[in-house]
Amino acid sequence: MRKPFAITLDPGSSLANHTGTWRTERPVYVDRLPPCNQACPAGENIQGWLALAESGDYQGAWRLLMEENPLPAVMGRVCYHPCETKCNRAALDSAVGINSIERFLGDEALKRGWHFEPSIHSSGKRVLVVGAGPSGLSAAYHLARAGHDVVVRDAGPYAGGMMRFGIPQYRLPRDILDAEIRRILDLGVELQLNSKVTDLREAIERFDAAFLAVGAHIGKRAYIPAGTSARILDAVSVLRSMEGAEKPKLGRRVVVYGGGNTALDVARTAKRLGAEEAIIVYRRTREKMPAHDFELEEALQEGVLVKWLSTIKQAGESSITVEKMQLDEKGWPQPTGELETLAADSVVLALGQDVDLSLLDNVAGIEKHDGVIKVGANMMTGCRGVFAGGDMVPSERTVTVAVGHGKKAARCIDAWLRGTTYEKAPKHELASPEKLNPWYYSDAPKTVQPMLDIVRRQSTFDEVVAGLDESNALFEARRCLSCGNCFECDNCYGVCPDNAVIKLGPGKRFQFNYDYCKGCGLCAAECPCGAIDMVPESI
């Protein structure tokens, strides 16, 4: 009778021949760091919650995700998913749609009412959080779950910070934002709105620690010669006014000066408000534009125009003068003296934002530099017990980075209040592409999220990108390669010629019987996800 390929010796023969004594190397099961996990600014265990999602345990996946990020339905809409740019699957066909699955889990949680109970173990410590944006809300969430009493103060009439006042509704519906904020407050977090902190030293008198998370709400200005009748606005004010009862009146022809995502948001908003023309003037090329390419593509689809290599020289009542630029030998834009006139009812400056640091004027020890403040490795400023994150510290200004800062600061504050030091667990070796065997995985093209039709995108603030349904989300989750971590495919069990692999049962993975194993390395060579390593045999 023919035996399966994997069995070349029966167990008795293997033991009799002492095949385990032939080794110079032995295989060991390892856990490597998936590149998506490494790339996530919020520090999510992406592969972990993807594994639960692909098994259909959506609530388990959501709860694991929420260990790091309290705003999955928001982040599933506004995060620029750097995790996907590092996904090893991109070399096979296309990256896993991590962001779309995160959104599905966040929306599923809101639909089904999943939540966390308030902590029953109070530390007796009080923490003040200044700012109810993504960083402040993240810190409040993690501090509350750690048992601390948290008070969040914000100068605005609504919570959300730049998520509400800087991201248009067609990207982030306000009912989604409100629901996820409500879940954080339900943990016992106290929110005080219209409560601007002007003197931090006075504000923290009744608190044991403070976390500063004031957003960058002050639009940067540029000197543009303009007549008294020229209408020049800043992008932050325009987007903020969209939350009020009266929408901004920008006119039929709107020019936006800048090249970031905020510039695109303003131009797309102008089109939805009825502008016949929305033109972005940017002094460099498309390749140098800091805005994300997919957002630019969406803007172009909606009729937004872009004047590349151009700068505004003068603004008048109903027009602007633009000077064309050209790149020098180093790639820097230089003026050409060639001028062009564009019709414009209003000019919106989208040149970046600054943080109002005036609340720190009477606080000793806090070091300011270039509009931000210096913090240590534990996110603490030079003032004892005062921590900071988000837009207030040197970093990339995105919702995901801010959420990560809030989480890290909360863990450092918790440790500091308990008289210890927060130590992050050491990271595993990276699961790089060469450690995988991608030919074991079948082709499965990425699931494309539905898009609102162009006509409605130009005339309404309805959400542009729709979410996945359960079947699509399940399919997308199952595209994950489980880079560097065993997913019990049975490959090692099947290819071992010495019967040296022992199955421990569902969810328990495998172990090696080194009495049988002769160290041939077939298991490591044929492991699809790179979860087996060959190490020298100790003498």
Side-chain angles (χ1 to χ4, degrees):
M1 175 179 161
R2 291 177 61 83
K3 294 184 177 181
F5 166 77
I7 303 175
T8 57
L9 295 172
D10 62 40
S13 176
S14 294
L15 288 175
N17 285 286
H18 299 288
T19 55
T21 64
W22 302 355
R23 287 192 310 272
T24 58
E25 288 185 312
R26 69 166 59 198
V28 293
Y29 289 106
V30 296
D31 284 300
R32 291 191 164 98
L33 177 65
C36 55
N37 288 23
Q38 183 194 46
C40 178
E44 293 179 16
N45 179 7
I46 293 171
Q47 191 186 86
W49 58 255
L50 274 178
L52 291 171
E54 70 177 89
S55 71
D57 183 5
Y58 301 129
Q59 183 170 178
W62 175 80
R63 290 189 179 277
L64 181 59
L65 197 167
M66 289 283 289
E67 290 298 314
E68 316 296 336
N69 169 22
L71 301 165
V74 170
M75 296 268 277
R77 289 168 165 83
V78 304
C79 177
Y80 297 115
H81 39 79
C83 53
E84 294 183 24
T85 65
K86 299 296 184 180
C87 177
N88 283 332
R89 174 128 204 160
L92 179 60
D93 42 39
S94 55
V96 176
I98 298 167
N99 193 235
S100 62
I101 306 167
E102 181 172 21
R103 170 175 170 167
F104 168 78
L105 294 174
D107 287 352
E108 194 74 1
L110 297 178
K111 182 170 69 177
R112 298 182 181 276
W114 297 337
H115 64 281
F116 290 91
E117 296 295 333
S119 175
I120 59 174
H121 304 291
S122 174
S123 68
K125 302 292 186 179
R126 301 184 76 229
V127 182
L128 173 66
V129 174
V130 182
S135 198
L137 290 170
S138 175
Y141 166 81
H142 289 287
L143 287 166
R145 292 196 65 192
H148 305 298
D149 293 332
V150 183
V151 175
V152 179
R153 290 182 59 180
D154 193 274
Y158 307 104
M162 291 302 287
M163 293 185 293
R164 184 182 300 275
F165 298 110
I167 299 177
Q169 295 186 36
Y170 61 80
R171 288 179 56 203
L172 178 58
R174 298 306 184 244
D175 60 333
I176 297 295
L177 176 61
D178 290 338
E180 294 216 300
I181 292 174
R182 171 48 53 192
R183 187 171 54 220
I184 295 173
L185 300 182
D186 287 345
L187 293 174
V189 173
E190 181 183 343
L191 174 63
Q192 298 178 4
L193 297 172
N194 297 306
S195 179
K196 183 176 182 178
V197 174
T198 55
D199 187 335
L200 180 63
R201 188 174 59 180
E202 178 184 334
I204 62 177
E205 287 180 352
R206 302 186 308 279
F207 293 90
D208 300 290
F211 176 61
L212 310 182
V214 178
H217 292 270
I218 303 174
K220 290 183 178 180
R221 307 290 292 186
Y223 174 70
I224 298 176
T228 56
S229 58
R231 193 153 188 265
I232 300 179
L233 311 167
D234 73 85
V236 177
S237 298
V238 170
L239 293 175
R240 174 178 286 272
S241 65
M242 290 299 298
E243 296 301 304
E246 283 196 29
K247 302 298 183 280
K249 294 179 174 59
L250 301 177
R252 293 186 299 109
R253 298 160 301 185
V254 180
V255 171
V256 182
Y257 194 27
N261 293 304
T262 300
L264 294 178
D265 285 339
V266 171
R268 295 172 72 182
T269 295
K271 291 290 288 185
R272 285 164 170 78
L273 291 174
E276 296 173 7
E277 286 186 358
I279 302 175
I280 291 175
V281 174
Y282 180 53
R283 65 193 304 269
R284 307 190 72 178
T285 62
R286 175 167 178 164
E287 292 72 29
K288 296 294 184 180
M289 194 179 201
H292 293 88
D293 199 59
F294 71 90
E295 279 211 60
L296 175 60
E297 283 298 322
E298 290 180 11
L300 295 175
Q301 291 167 11
E302 294 169 10
V304 172
L305 304 175
V306 184
K307 293 285 291 183
W308 306 106
L309 287 172
S310 301
T311 186
I312 299 178
K313 297 295 291 181
Q314 188 169 1
E317 180 181 1
S318 59
S319 66
I320 62 167
T321 302
V322 172
E323 181 175 11
K324 294 183 179 180
M325 314 287 279
Q326 67 179 13
L327 299 180
D328 61 19
E329 63 278 1
K330 295 182 179 179
W332 293 101
Q334 301 297 336
T336 64
E338 185 178 348
L339 303 178
E340 180 183 3
T341 300
L342 299 177
D345 296 313
S346 59
V347 176
V348 183
L349 305 181
L351 304 172
Q353 295 95 246
D354 289 321
V355 180
D356 182 0
L357 299 179
S358 61
L359 77 163
L360 305 176
D361 289 346
N362 297 322
V363 183
I366 297 183
E367 184 178 339
K368 306 175 190 176
H369 182 69
D370 286 340
V372 291
I373 59 180
K374 184 177 180 180
V375 294
N378 65 346
M379 309 295 287
M380 190 187 292
T381 69
C383 180
R384 183 173 170 81
V386 177
F387 300 73
D391 293 348
M392 297 194 75
V393 303
S395 66
E396 186 180 2
R397 288 178 172 176
T398 70
V399 173
T400 318
V401 168
V403 167
H405 283 183
K407 178 192 71 174
K408 181 179 178 181
R411 292 177 180 175
C412 292
I413 292 170
D414 175 61
W416 185 77
L417 291 173
R418 299 180 191 278
T420 61
T421 301
Y422 172 66
E423 296 290 344
K424 193 172 182 179
K427 291 183 177 180
H428 296 298
E429 174 193 9
L430 185 67
S432 50
E434 65 272 10
K435 298 186 184 299
L436 277 60
N437 289 321
W439 53 83
Y440 275 111
Y441 302 93
S442 59
D443 288 346
K446 183 176 181 177
T447 307
V448 178
Q449 291 175 262
M451 299 276 288
L452 193 67
D453 65 81
I454 295 293
V455 173
R456 292 177 64 195
R457 283 165 57 179
Q458 293 176 322
S459 58
T460 74
F461 283 86
D462 293 348
E463 191 169 14
V464 170
V465 181
L468 303 179
D469 60 25
E470 182 177 349
S471 61
N472 287 337
L474 187 62
F475 173 85
E476 194 60 32
R478 287 176 175 168
R479 296 182 65 240
C480 175
L481 305 182
S482 193
C483 304
N485 295 276
C486 174
F487 60 96
E488 299 180 15
C489 69
D490 284 359
N491 225 37
C492 55
Y493 182 79
V495 301
C496 178
D498 295 313
N499 311 298
V501 178
I502 302 170
K503 297 178 73 168
L504 301 178
K508 298 180 181 178
R509 300 185 177 180
F510 309 86
Q511 71 180 30
F512 291 109
N513 184 336
Y514 292 115
D515 288 334
Y516 291 16
C517 173
K518 64 175 180 289
C520 69
L522 270 176
C523 55
E526 298 302 321
C527 176
C529 61
I532 302 174
D533 205 4
M534 297 299 294
V535 299
E537 186 63 57
S538 57
I539 299 177

